[in-house]
Amino acid sequence: MTFRHCVAVDLGASSGRVMLARYDSDHRTLTLREIHRFVNCLQKTEGFDTWDIDSLENDIRLGLKKVCDEGILIDSIGIDTWGVDYVLIDKNGQRIGLPVSYRDSRTTGIMSQAMAQPGKGEIYRRSGIQFLPFNTLYQLRALVEQQPELLPQIAHALLIPDYFSFRLTGKMNWEYTNATTTQLVNINTDDWDDTLLAWTGADKAWFGRPTHPGNIIGHWICPQKNQIPVVAVASHDTASAVIASPLADENSAYLSSGTWSLMGFESRTPYTNDAALAANITNEGGAEGRYRVLKNIMGLWLLQRVLKERQITDLPALIAQTQALPACQFLINPNDDRFINPDDMSAEIQAACRESGQPVPQQNAELARCIFDSLALLYADILQELATLRGAAFSQLHIVGGGCQNALLNQLCADACGIRVMSGPIEASTLGNIGIQLMTLDELNNVDDFRQVVSANYDLTTFIPNPESEIARYQAQFQSLRQTKELCA
């Protein structure tokens, strides 16, 4: 019997974990065990919202040490994180400046500068990436404009997972799936775009050519002196989550549900036409030349903030209270920029409802109901946008990630979208991370092969749409009203 042991370091915007995978190649069984879990949160440093990058590194090393202390021989390590953020390095490999978060306000107004020059159409033609005010394209411009004193010291800029891999191995890498989230990679060449980089004022010498997932970056020397390969997995956590999504066929969409919700489909070709630009669709890189044609949705960040502000610790009880409330009494646009990082999320949601002439949610369950209903209706809207873009309807939606544990939101999604929803696996980004490691170790052939392993080892839950539910009736009325307006226009 042959076993492989791979370690996945999976960092999200609110938490991180070091997970140990055990793969039995004879029986194609895959099990995960959590070794170390830790909190990740923003902190104010010198007026910026920043990541505690040193604390995260310490937790990564602690988790790896725990595995080694068990006497387990690790075959490989992979790291995936959120996208767009970076760390600056000097010529001696030392960090300079601050690891500023994408939620920091320094990019306010920067994207509007880009709309004038190089221009929205030109940026999209080159990158194929959704316009979000915190993309690295705008972060670098903000850096150059606001902190010019740092520029002479900068030798390299590493995205977050590449930085941690560098800290473990001493080797630099720029992994492709995460690099594409920056809005700086040319969609035709898979290399950094000279025109877009020039607009930021950043030096192209800060970046090495992006590499597709599956190469070995270097080796980490564990306490027992073993040299363990560190693999460049699909290091954007959504790219890893999609790899582990057991999509049934080409008519299956996915929704990676967590702090962010990302809804899309896989395609061998990108969508960069006028319709895609108008819908603000993104074409992020995936494994094996597959594009992740998707749209970013603010996701459960809104709920996470409300839970923290109101000191709510019993989420199942809150969901039960929420389920008893009528649907669609309070609705917001979760993707409104006002919800990126407000001082008080609860108050911001209340203000949005008040300003639109709606009742104002006061109780905890009312705020949660507002978030869940609003997300489900936005999911339905975006799923229709994606179906229109590709010219074919979807037959089912796969929800993966931590948010797929929320059965109420899953059912609301099925009802609003009007299609079958499959939820699971929960640890999708971790599993996708492991999948690329196993392919690099020649244990699996490709992504489709790995998805068969996922389907065989992890249970999925099915949610059947109920066309008579309150949210389904609201969605049907909304579509009817929109169609009526279009006909009368």
Side-chain angles (χ1 to χ4, degrees), residues 27 37 60 136 212 261 274 327 359 387 392 403 407 427 430 442 445 463 468:
H27 299 93
R37 182 176 286 264
I60 291 171
T136 320
H212 285 258
S261 292
D274 290 343
E427 294 287 358
T430 296
D442 293 327
N445 296 320
F463 296 84
E468 298 304 316

Side-chain angles (χ1 to χ4, degrees), residues 191-212:
D191 198 359
W192 306 103
D193 186 276
D194 290 338
T195 297
L196 298 179
L197 269 175
W199 179 81
T200 68
D203 189 338
K204 190 175 182 179
W206 297 355
F207 303 89
R209 186 180 179 98
T211 60
H212 285 258

Side-chain angles (χ1 to χ4, degrees), residues 114-132:
M115 298 301 100
Q117 180 65 36
K120 187 173 185 178
E122 182 69 5
I123 294 171
Y124 195 72
R125 182 183 68 80
R126 290 177 176 275
S127 69
I129 295 298
Q130 179 180 1
F131 288 87
L132 295 167

Side-chain angles (χ1 to χ4, degrees), residues 266-420:
E266 279 190 329
S267 174
R268 293 289 182 179
T269 56
Y271 287 76
T272 56
N273 55 24
D274 290 343
L277 172 59
N280 204 19
I281 299 298
T282 204
N283 297 270
E284 293 175 354
E288 300 176 353
R290 308 174 192 222
Y291 290 93
R292 294 175 286 131
V293 183
L294 59 83
K295 199 163 186 177
N296 288 53
I297 304 165
M298 201 74 75
L300 293 173
W301 162 251
L302 290 85
L303 180 66
Q304 291 166 359
R305 283 289 304 272
V306 169
L307 295 178
K308 184 176 181 180
E309 290 163 3
R310 298 197 164 209
Q311 299 180 326
I312 301 168
T313 56
D314 192 343
L315 181 57
L318 176 66
I319 292 175
Q321 295 167 14
T322 301
Q323 193 162 6
L325 297 177
C328 303
Q329 283 190 310
F330 326 95
L331 293 172
I332 58 173
N333 174 13
N335 269 4
D336 193 311
D337 287 351
R338 68 192 299 169
F339 300 122
I340 289 177
N341 194 24
D343 293 333
D344 186 325
M345 182 66 77
S346 304
E348 199 69 34
I349 291 171
Q350 291 169 335
C353 289
R354 188 179 300 111
E355 290 165 14
S356 59
Q358 300 179 75
V360 177
Q362 301 291 346
Q363 303 301 317
N364 294 341
E366 291 176 335
L367 284 164
R369 186 80 217 198
C370 175
I371 293 169
F372 295 159
D373 289 346
S374 300
L375 283 174
L377 290 169
L378 185 55
Y379 293 160
D381 192 36
I382 290 175
L383 190 70
Q384 183 57 52
E385 278 186 342
L386 294 169
T388 301
L389 183 68
R390 68 195 286 264
F394 294 101
S395 58
Q396 62 185 26
L397 175 67
H398 289 262
I399 303 182
V400 299
C404 80
Q405 300 172 89
N406 188 328
L408 171 59
L409 183 55
N410 292 344
Q411 187 62 57
L412 290 171
C413 179
D415 293 347
C417 294
I419 63 172
R420 181 175 59 179

